[in-house]
């Protein structure tokens, strides 16, 4: 079974992404979030009515139930990591046992889709954007689903080609993709991707 990786630049990408996603995601999608949101849970359930959507997030003011999250990820036919605060996503899902479980499920052929923060989390080097935190951009180890690559989401808004080019040089990485809010990249077995919603920006050093 091929590995299927979808990287979405922003919420506008959901329109062009949904059809190819439904072709591969199966019957049960685990949507991982960093905060409870009935509105967002309903949005995904309405977009994917053919699927059972398990919306996983810590309760307001509380901690994530990692056993519940692990059970949902383990039972899922596909994993979708939503957008928001990238540092919180990294804390919840990019470290510890959930990190290893998500990696293992992806490697076994369970499709992974990440929207904005969820896309950044999928990288070998996960960008924690200053736009999220009010602090300078920083990098930390991500899930490593797409090695040797850096990613820019909200591309034009967050600095465009100049910023991505600088990050590639500083991190000594040779390939960078820039995704505006309406774009999705779909990788099969980490090969050359298909783009939905328009053309993505590619830099190779």
């Amino acid at each position: 079974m091929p590995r299927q990786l979808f990287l979405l630049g922003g919420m506008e990408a959901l329109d062009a992404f949904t059809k190819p996603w439904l072709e591969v995601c199966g019957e049960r999608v685990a949507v991982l979030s960093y905060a409870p949101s009935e509105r967002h849970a309903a949005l995904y359930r309405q977009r994917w009515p053919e699927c059972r959507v398990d919306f996983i997030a810590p309760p307001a003011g509380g901690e994530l139930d990692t056993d519940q999250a692990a059970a949902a990820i383990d039972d899922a036919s596909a994993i979708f990591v939503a957008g928001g605060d990238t540092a919180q996503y990294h804390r919840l899902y990019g470290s510890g046992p959930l990190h290893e479980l998500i990696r293992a499920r992806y490697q076994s052929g369970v499709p992974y889709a990440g929207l904005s923060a969820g896309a950044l989390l999928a990288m070998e080097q996960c960008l924690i954007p200053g736009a999220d935190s009010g602090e300078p951009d920083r990098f930390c180890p991500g899930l490593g689903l797409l090695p040797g690559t850096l990613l820019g989401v909200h591309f034009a808004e967050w600095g465009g080609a100049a910023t991505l080019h600088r990050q590639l040089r500083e991190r000594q990485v040779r390939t960078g993709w820039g995704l505006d809010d309406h774009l999705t990249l779909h990788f099969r077995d980490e090969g050359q991707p298909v783009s939905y919603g328009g053309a993505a920006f590619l830099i190779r050093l």
Side-chain angles (χ1 to χ4, degrees), residues 70-121:
I73 293 167
D74 207 36
D75 289 343
S77 57
I79 298 166
F80 182 95
V81 183
D85 187 326
T86 310
Q88 290 299 322
Y89 278 100
H90 187 268
R91 180 180 70 85
L92 294 170
Y93 307 111
S95 59
L98 294 183
H99 168 277
E100 293 305 320
L101 179 58
I102 293 168
R103 278 180 52 83
R105 296 289 285 149
Y106 172 74
Q107 292 296 332
S108 73
V110 172
Y112 176 104
L115 190 159
S116 184
L120 294 173
L121 185 66

Side-chain angles (χ1 to χ4, degrees), residues 141-181:
L143 294 172
L145 308 187
L146 187 65
T149 306
L150 293 186
L151 184 69
V153 297
H154 310 295
F155 187 57
E157 180 183 351
W158 284 4
T163 295
L164 182 57
H165 202 280
R166 173 179 54 79
Q167 291 169 343
L168 288 167
R169 294 196 311 271
E170 290 175 353
R171 307 303 299 180
Q172 299 183 354
V173 176
R174 297 184 62 85
T175 301
W177 288 97
L179 299 181
D180 287 321
D181 286 9

Side-chain angles (χ1 to χ4, degrees), residues 46-67:
Q46 289 164 7
R47 281 185 174 269
W48 312 328
E50 302 91 338
C51 306
R52 170 175 170 175
V53 173
D54 293 324
F55 191 84
I56 306 301
E63 288 298 316
L64 180 70
D65 184 330
T66 54
D67 289 340

